[in-house]
Amino acid sequence: MMKQRLDILIKGAAELLTLNSGLKGPRSGDQIGELGLIHQGAVGIKGDRIVCVGTTDQLLRETEVDERTRVIDASGKVVTPGLVDPHTHLCFAGTREDEFEERIKGATYQEIEARGGGIRATVQRVRQATKEELIQLALPRLERMLNYGTTTAEVKSGYGLNLNDELKILEAIKELNHSQPIELIPTFLGAHQVPEEYRERRGDYIELLTKEVIPQVAERRLAEFCDVFCEEAAFNREESEKILLTGKRFGLRPKIHADELSPYGGAELAAEVGAISADHLVYTSPQGMKRMKETGVSAVLLPGTSYFLNSPRYAPAREMIQEEVPIALATDLNPGSCMTESMPLIINLACLKLKLTAAEAIVAATINAAWAIGRGENIGSLEKGKLADVIIWGFPHYRILPYHFGVNLVEMVIKAGRVVVERRGRS
Ligand SMILES: [Zn+2]
């Protein structure tokens, strides 16, 4: 047998978390904590793909390393797949640190909204911005995400709330996808909020979305998913269903902001319309969880949002695991309710606030997050044939990831076979 020549060999990893369990689909129930851990692990990369994974001895025997191969010594380090952030609103203009302080003084998110803050404030800033300005504002955020280990991210529109501004955001996301290393998966979220000018005639806004905006977004192939903020204060169940089913007819798979502020039946709706994921789920009912499990809807949990809004209430993650609903983690990066790019911070919060183990949180931030955005076949684990998205961490045991918090312990990030982050002068 001819030995395979490698472009990159990562060898000697104290702990290589492959996240490979032989399953075709997200992990749930008893399997949620399976890391596929290999001691003294190694990964071989050729072009943009992983070509072999195993122990260092095995790979040194079975592959060919020549003077063009970059050999990376990962001894004393943990190696994992790149992190996947399956829920962000990273394409925005303007920040809302004033609201952060108002909340500290006791105002609620809803009160701030009623005073003209909230999503409305960001919509105003985004409408004033050009596409080029949106791109320039998003680039440093993406750079921070990459530095903290995110190699794939979903991004939603939803701060335009009219035809031209929604298209502008989605076009900015499309250009951003080609101008930096993180792969971006676009979601249309025209139903984020009813815009000011349609407050008295919300039916007309639903018409605009279903008759004009969704068809154009689909025709220009600017989004893969269609999302709705299904909540008393945003879009009711009937409106949400209409928008999601229209999106589905145009080839956009449904996603839902569900049961974030109240038990509103968003999880049940996600099951009914065949959504790929329901997100937030802070108030989801046991019945909603059962329906999600039956229909294969992933739960995307956003503990950073409860934390940032200073809410005592978090999604019932342990009950979801019990009910065998697959759970994923995301930042929810946005200027109002969760201003962070850091998935490692979210992993820390998932352990402390959602009561996940380190292993469960790592599964939820990699392979399960990949399935929640339809990328499970291609990313989220270190397996032969998958995209070579790899992180080398500056610690020897994976349990240190949530434990040593608030600092960046990523030493190297490889995206699609290219070293894109390299810190502390590693060779
Ligand atoms: Zn969101």
Side-chain angles (χ1 to χ4, degrees):
M1 198 182 84
M2 268 261 289
K3 283 188 174 185
Q4 181 136 36
R5 202 199 71 80
L6 301 176
D7 292 329
I8 296 178
L9 172 65
I10 302 168
K11 63 166 190 163
E15 294 179 352
L16 175 73
L17 311 188
T18 67
L19 278 293
N20 181 4
S21 67
L23 279 179
K24 278 268 170 274
R27 313 281 165 76
S28 59
D30 295 342
Q31 290 160 327
I32 179 91
E34 277 181 29
L35 293 173
L37 192 153
I38 300 173
H39 292 285
Q40 288 306 310
V43 180
I45 297 169
K46 192 167 167 59
D48 64 353
R49 298 280 147 180
I50 295 167
V51 292
C52 46
V53 179
T55 62
T56 301
D57 286 348
Q58 209 179 345
L59 259 64
L60 286 174
R61 259 196 327 268
E62 292 170 6
T63 59
E64 191 187 317
V65 172
D66 65 20
E67 68 285 351
R68 286 168 303 160
T69 305
R70 174 150 186 204
V71 178
I72 298 166
D73 180 12
S75 52
K77 314 286 177 191
V78 169
V79 175
T80 70
L83 301 177
V84 178
D85 189 345
H87 182 139
T88 83
H89 306 252
L90 70 85
C91 195
F92 62 83
T95 49
R96 286 160 36 200
E97 60 280 7
D98 48 340
E99 295 179 16
F100 179 77
E101 276 195 20
E102 284 180 56
R103 280 200 306 277
I104 291 167
K105 289 176 186 156
T108 66
Y109 190 80
Q110 285 88 336
E111 284 164 1
I112 291 167
E113 185 110 64
R115 280 181 223 151
I119 293 169
R120 231 189 301 178
T122 301
V123 168
Q124 221 172 27
R125 297 292 301 270
V126 167
R127 284 180 176 177
Q128 287 160 0
T130 63
K131 180 181 75 178
E132 190 49 42
E133 284 165 346
L134 289 177
I135 291 170
Q136 290 310 318
L137 288 165
L139 280 170
R141 291 174 203 139
L142 286 160
E143 194 183 335
R144 274 190 291 274
M145 289 168 75
L146 189 70
N147 277 312
Y148 278 83
T150 297
T151 48
T152 306
E154 185 257 20
V155 194
K156 301 172 197 296
S157 68
Y159 293 125
L161 307 185
N162 60 39
L163 177 66
N164 288 338
D165 289 312
E166 284 294 308
L167 293 177
K168 176 179 76 184
I169 298 167
L170 291 170
E171 275 162 8
I173 296 167
K174 186 176 177 180
E175 285 189 30
L176 284 162
N177 202 11
H178 301 297
S179 49
Q180 51 76 49
I182 299 177
E183 187 193 355
L184 302 177
I185 320 287
T187 294
F188 172 64
L189 178 58
H192 198 190
Q193 196 179 56
V194 176
E196 202 68 8
E197 64 276 20
Y198 282 92
R199 280 281 152 98
E200 304 307 320
R201 46 189 187 105
R202 48 190 300 131
D204 291 353
Y205 187 61
I206 315 281
E207 287 271 289
L208 174 75
L209 291 180
T210 53
K211 299 241 161 78
E212 271 189 68
V213 192
I214 290 175
Q216 288 235 27
V217 167
E219 195 192 328
R220 299 184 192 198
R221 298 177 176 278
L222 287 172
E224 214 168 294
F225 302 106
C226 178
D227 197 342
V228 167
F229 192 8
C230 178
E231 200 75 48
E232 181 87 58
F235 294 86
N236 67 33
R237 276 194 55 145
E238 198 186 320
E239 293 165 340
S240 300
E241 186 175 2
K242 185 171 181 194
I243 293 159
L244 292 173
L245 290 179
T246 303
K248 201 171 174 182
R249 265 209 320 281
F250 282 92
L252 307 178
R253 213 164 157 199
K255 274 187 169 277
I256 307 188
H257 281 66
D259 308 322
E260 177 185 358
L261 306 169
S262 63
Y264 199 63
E268 288 86 343
L269 179 62
E272 260 162 58
V273 300
I276 188 164
S277 75
D279 303 28
H280 285 288
L281 302 172
V282 175
Y283 290 88
T284 294
S285 68
Q287 188 54 32
M289 291 179 210
K290 284 207 174 64
R291 293 285 296 130
M292 285 175 67
K293 144 86 177 144
E294 283 161 15
T295 50
V297 181
S298 284
V300 175
L301 307 183
L302 311 164
T305 309
S306 295
Y307 174 73
F308 196 74
L309 294 178
N310 227 348
S311 158
R313 181 119 184 187
Y314 286 80
R318 289 254 61 102
E319 285 168 68
M320 290 177 189
I321 292 170
Q322 188 98 41
E323 294 290 342
E324 300 188 351
V325 177
I327 60 171
L329 291 168
T331 57
D332 196 18
L333 168 56
N334 78 82
S337 62
C338 196
M339 187 65 172
T340 186
E341 290 92 347
S342 169
M343 280 295 283
L345 174 63
I346 299 301
I347 290 170
N348 164 267
L349 292 173
C351 292
L352 290 172
K353 302 294 188 179
L354 304 181
K355 311 291 179 206
L356 300 192
T357 63
E360 290 167 342
I362 291 168
V363 167
T366 54
I367 186 68
N368 277 14
W371 284 109
I373 48 172
R375 291 294 188 280
E377 303 272 5
N378 201 36
I379 56 169
S381 61
L382 303 176
E383 288 179 66
K384 185 178 172 185
K386 280 199 171 181
L387 211 55
D389 292 0
V390 188
I391 307 177
I392 301 177
W393 300 87
F395 46 77
H397 306 296
Y398 74 85
R399 285 193 175 93
I400 292 175
L401 172 45
Y403 158 77
H404 192 162
F405 80 106
V407 291
N408 192 358
L409 298 169
V410 170
E411 288 200 352
M412 185 180 279
V413 180
I414 297 171
K415 174 63 191 177
R418 243 171 17 99
V419 176
V420 288
V421 173
E422 204 169 355
R423 303 166 76 220
R424 298 195 200 121
R426 286 181 52 86
S427 61

